Amino acid sequence: YWLVIGDPKENMLLSIKKVSLAKQARFALEFDAPKSAGDHELKLYLMCDSVQGVDQVVDVHLHVEPSVGGDGAGSSSESGSGSDSE
């Protein structure tokens, strides 16, 4: 399986990771938050490279705080909701 996070509005891939699934699994997926402050709608995809019809998509709502120190790096918080089969 592949775990992918992207911003469809910006047509940008933020991170991709090859994973092995068991009955339950937990993964960390690191990526750089968008540079612009505010709310962003991302998509988290779980894609199988060997079985058709089992892919999953989850909406991820990301809020990026404005940069405080002027270094361009802001803080962010995220939440995922829902899942759709594709």
Side-chain angles (χ1 to χ4, degrees):
Y1 286 87
W2 291 93
L3 196 55
V4 179
I5 192 160
D7 184 344
K9 185 177 176 183
E10 298 293 326
N11 197 30
M12 187 180 320
L13 174 68
L14 299 173
S15 186
I16 184 169
K17 184 175 193 174
K18 179 84 169 163
V19 296
S20 297
L21 293 183
K23 199 168 195 173
Q24 287 188 335
R26 183 177 290 229
F27 302 101
L29 195 59
E30 294 184 20
F31 62 94
D32 291 334
K35 294 183 192 271
S36 59
D39 294 322
H40 298 271
E41 301 299 321
L42 307 178
K43 297 279 186 184
L44 178 67
Y45 303 90
L46 178 65
M47 301 185 309
C48 182
D49 57 1
S50 59
V51 179
Q52 192 172 15
V54 297
D55 297 349
Q56 297 289 310
V57 180
V58 176
D59 294 321
V60 177
H61 308 284
L62 181 73
H63 179 75
V64 178
E65 295 291 328
S67 176
V68 179
D71 60 0
S75 62
S76 64
S77 62
E78 65 190 271
S79 65
S81 64
S83 74
D84 301 321
S85 294
E86 281 195 351

